[in-house]
Amino acid sequence: MIPTIPQSRSFRLIYGGYVLMFFLYLALPLTVVAVFAFNDSQFPSLPWEGFTWNWFFGAEAPQIGVFHERGILRAVGTSVFVAACVAVLSVSVGTTNAFLFNRYDFRGKTVLYVLMLLPLVIPGIVLGISILVFSSTLANGIWDVAQMDIQALRPGLLLVVLGQFSFITTIATLVISARLQKFDRTLEEAALNLGATRLTAVRTITIPFLMPAIIGAVVVAFLMSFENFNTTLMLVGSDAPLTIAMFDRLKEGSTPLLNAVSLLLMLGSSLLALAMILFQRR
Amino acid sequence: MRNHARIGFVLLLTPLVLWLSLLIIIPHIDMLLISLRERISFGVYDTSLAQYEKALTEPLYLRTFWRTAIMSILATGITLLIAFPVAYYIAKMAKGRLQQVLFLLCLIPFYVSELVRTFGWMILLRETGLISNLLQWVGLADQPVEMLYNDSAMMVGLVYTSMLFMVVPLVTTLESLDDSVIEAGYDLGGNGLSVLREIIIPHAMPGIVSGSIVVFMLSLGNYLTPTMLGGKDSLWFTEMIYNQFIVRSNWELGATFGFMLLLLSSVIVWGMLRLTGRTLQETMG
């Protein structure tokens, strides 16, 4: 079943057809979401009432577009803020983790490595509730001891950031470790021989080498945080990130406004992904 | 110098230990403790297994638990069956540019929020949706057909959502299989089926295992798809956790459910690793 082994014509046709069907299946839901963003109707469904830009730029009810819808814009702002925090935090810790596992041998290293992988096999919703439970235990304990109510430990943005950080760090660690393993240690030693201190050697030789992986990890962490639903759902307070805000609207019934938001999301994340690929090619 | 290395080691170890202990280990221990207590009166708690007893005797809870487990395994199986031929095509049949393009196309849905993907299926499947209209237009149905809010719709959504996590590891392992090994299989008198069984599948096993683990985890822990696409009877275990925590504020029972879900996923992941003799580090790392 490789090109060098002759296969019957009908087999090749059926196989090719299957793969084609698969890609149609992949594209179908995303395409309909995109197309109905331009439907001049209150519902993202047939019949097609004509083409309109109103769901993007409309300023009057009943067709208020994305760019005039306060709730959605605020939710986008919240999501960007959370995603930026998560990206910076998880990539920083991911980098130190990668160095730790790559450069040091110590007792308990294997155990720590397995623990580091665990967040990948814990369901997101369980991660969410465990952090919710622990933070409220902490908050209640502080209240009992010092009569102080720490709002930050109640559901809200801090907990959302921590919840997402708790598993995205694992991914950042894996991405950066993979590149660090390919690093030629003799380059660093050369720098040391030439009189650089250890820190200077790492800063001027190793970090630039790691840069593609670090940028890649930042983009992946940002996207994962932006899209995260399960963990966020359990930890969210009054400021809802975009996915939660959209979910609440979707439950009430949908208008093409949601399609317009979705289309912008698709464009945004594909642009980001494309930029990352181009950067890494360079 | 020796001292320097020591300081560096401690500096690198601290963030890791803080992260794992404060956000993973201690919260889970706390969750376990909460699940082991019973409310006696306001603010007074007793240690007991009452929550687990409740969870294991109430038919609705148990039924949902097993249903979630079995449906997740089913979703994993279906995803594997659909993904394998496609991954093989990308890895072995397509060459050069086509190969790269197909691989990238598989990644695109992953860059789009799960909410958007689910929304897409709602537009397609609902009563006024595209497929219903198409069926009427072709003449296969004479009135709107509701295809949303049942188990099949939910299954379509689950499989779609996790497809990428099966395709990518499969493509990676299949690419590393040398064409000449397959040719040798044919030269030695094998046919398509025996080559697939004796050579291709054993070689792809690491990809199959890691893909299956991730897809299973994602299905088990999914909340959006069962809520939006599933019907009244397709209750999912994560929905019960959410209900106990957020709607009913019964944290004790919610934590118990959370632990049961964690236990179930650990047992299945461990079983899969055991069955194939692999470790978590090899599979995930």
Side-chain angles (χ1 to χ4, degrees):
Chain A
M1 279 187 289
I2 45 175
T4 49
I5 307 279
Q7 292 289 340
S8 72
R9 203 180 141 71
S10 57
F11 175 82
R12 281 209 316 269
L13 271 176
I14 292 173
Y15 199 6
Y18 174 80
V19 174
L20 189 70
M21 291 282 289
F22 174 81
F23 282 100
L24 281 178
Y25 161 79
L26 277 194
L28 201 57
L30 303 182
T31 316
V32 294
V33 167
V35 168
F36 280 105
F38 302 99
N39 193 8
D40 194 1
S41 142
Q42 282 299 309
F43 306 101
S45 60
L46 291 173
W48 182 258
E49 302 278 6
F51 181 91
T52 179
W53 281 104
N54 276 354
W55 294 111
F56 293 88
F57 305 107
E60 290 156 47
Q63 297 192 344
I64 297 182
V66 182
F67 297 108
H68 291 277
E69 174 69 47
R70 291 258 173 78
I72 293 288
L73 290 180
R74 200 167 42 233
V76 172
T78 309
S79 279
V80 169
F81 172 74
V82 169
C85 292
V86 170
V88 170
L89 274 174
S90 57
V91 171
S92 312
V93 177
T95 310
T96 58
N97 288 350
F99 272 99
L100 180 74
F101 286 120
N102 185 258
R103 296 295 165 87
Y104 292 92
D105 276 311
F106 50 94
R107 226 179 320 143
K109 183 174 173 177
T110 324
V111 177
L112 269 187
Y113 193 76
V114 171
L115 277 177
M116 188 277 291
L117 290 175
L118 272 192
L120 285 188
V121 286
I122 300 175
I125 212 158
V126 174
L127 270 179
I129 57 173
S130 70
I131 290 172
L132 178 68
V133 162
F134 178 53
S135 68
S136 82
T137 304
L138 264 185
N140 292 342
I142 294 174
W143 175 254
D144 287 344
V145 172
Q147 307 293 306
M148 275 194 305
D149 191 19
I150 313 275
Q151 275 303 317
L153 290 173
R154 307 289 180 192
L157 288 190
L158 178 73
L159 289 194
V160 171
V161 169
L162 289 177
Q164 296 182 353
F165 163 78
S166 71
F167 72 95
I168 293 178
T169 304
T170 303
I171 292 155
T173 307
L174 292 177
V175 170
I176 297 168
S177 290
R179 179 133 179 120
L180 190 56
Q181 266 161 18
K182 289 191 205 133
F183 179 68
D184 185 359
R185 287 289 291 274
T186 52
L187 288 177
E188 224 174 74
E189 278 157 24
L192 292 176
N193 284 341
L194 291 170
T197 63
R198 185 152 282 271
L199 213 59
T200 317
V202 168
R203 194 168 47 82
T204 53
I205 309 285
T206 323
I207 297 288
F209 173 81
L210 283 181
M211 227 32 184
I214 291 178
I215 303 264
V218 166
V219 172
V220 168
F222 189 92
L223 285 176
M224 289 194 83
S225 160
F226 209 93
E227 286 166 18
N228 182 267
F229 185 82
N230 289 346
T231 311
T232 312
L233 181 71
M234 305 307 296
L235 297 169
V236 74
S238 50
D239 293 323
L242 188 60
T243 43
I244 305 288
M246 284 176 70
F247 176 65
D248 288 340
R249 279 170 193 243
L250 201 53
K251 276 194 298 194
E252 290 161 10
S254 45
T255 66
L257 172 73
L258 288 180
N259 297 62
V261 180
S262 306
L263 179 57
L264 291 176
L265 273 181
M266 284 187 230
L267 288 177
S269 43
S270 1
L271 278 182
L272 207 54
L274 202 70
M276 180 179 83
I277 292 170
L278 286 180
F279 176 83
Q280 278 168 346
R281 276 266 171 81
R282 200 170 52 122
Chain B
M1 204 57 217
R2 177 103 199 96
N3 222 356
H4 260 91
R6 184 119 210 112
I7 293 171
F9 174 67
V10 171
L11 279 180
L12 290 176
L13 189 65
T14 315
L16 177 79
V17 169
L18 281 180
W19 160 49
L20 289 177
S21 58
L22 289 180
L23 291 174
I24 308 292
I25 300 167
I26 300 177
H28 280 90
I29 293 174
D30 197 30
M31 192 172 85
L32 179 67
L33 292 180
I34 299 254
S35 77
L36 285 174
R37 68 183 199 188
E38 188 186 6
R39 203 178 147 122
I40 307 293
S41 67
F42 183 75
V44 183
Y45 295 97
D46 206 3
T47 308
S48 81
L49 285 171
Q51 309 300 337
Y52 286 91
E53 204 182 307
K54 203 188 289 174
L56 293 178
T57 48
E58 172 72 41
L60 173 72
Y61 299 160
L62 260 189
R63 217 181 66 105
T64 310
F65 183 74
W66 289 120
R67 228 183 78 88
T68 308
I70 291 167
M71 296 284 276
S72 301
I73 294 174
L74 199 62
T76 311
I78 296 175
T79 313
L80 178 62
L81 281 182
I82 295 180
F84 197 88
V86 177
Y88 187 82
Y89 192 90
I90 296 176
K92 286 276 149 244
M93 308 285 275
K95 292 281 170 249
R97 196 133 208 104
L98 179 67
Q99 184 177 33
Q100 281 178 0
V101 170
L102 289 182
F103 191 67
L104 270 181
L105 279 178
C106 281
L107 298 183
I108 288 178
F110 167 72
Y111 284 115
V112 178
S113 156
E114 190 189 346
L115 194 85
V116 176
R117 293 176 246 162
T118 314
F119 184 38
W121 282 110
M122 288 174 77
I123 296 177
L124 283 168
L125 294 176
R126 72 171 136 217
E127 214 176 340
T128 55
L130 235 61
I131 295 181
S132 166
N133 272 295
L134 187 72
L135 287 178
Q136 288 174 71
W137 184 71
V138 175
L140 284 171
D142 44 13
Q143 59 190 38
V145 200
E146 178 67 278
M147 273 169 289
L148 210 52
Y149 312 124
N150 57 51
D151 284 354
S152 333
M154 190 177 76
M155 204 45 107
V156 169
L158 284 176
V159 169
Y160 185 83
T161 293
S162 31
M163 188 52 77
L164 163 94
F165 299 94
M166 191 64 95
V167 172
V168 171
L170 284 179
V171 169
T172 319
T173 44
L174 284 172
E175 260 184 334
S176 68
L177 175 62
D178 203 327
D179 279 0
S180 56
V181 180
I182 301 177
E183 282 162 9
Y186 279 100
D187 288 346
L188 293 169
N191 56 25
L193 214 62
S194 62
V195 167
L196 181 71
R197 207 182 55 227
E198 307 282 342
I199 298 173
I200 299 172
I201 290 182
H203 184 87
M205 217 47 192
I208 294 177
V209 174
S210 57
S212 298
I213 287 180
V214 175
V215 171
F216 176 77
M217 295 293 316
L218 286 176
S219 305
L220 197 66
N222 202 316
Y223 176 84
L224 253 177
T225 308
T227 315
M228 306 307 284
L229 303 181
K232 291 258 180 297
D233 299 322
S234 0
L235 198 56
W236 209 246
F237 208 62
T238 47
E239 291 176 84
M240 301 207 345
I241 297 178
Y242 180 82
N243 287 341
Q244 292 302 331
F245 261 90
I246 310 292
V247 184
R248 301 237 184 125
S249 293
N250 186 349
W251 285 28
E252 286 77 23
L253 194 57
T256 308
F257 288 164
F259 235 84
M260 286 167 69
L261 190 70
L262 193 59
L263 207 69
L264 175 65
S265 66
S266 317
V267 167
I268 301 259
V269 170
W270 179 81
M272 263 199 256
L273 292 175
R274 211 38 219 280
L275 214 66
T276 51
R278 297 175 56 80
T279 65
L280 190 66
Q281 291 105 296
E282 292 169 341
T283 310
M284 296 289 165

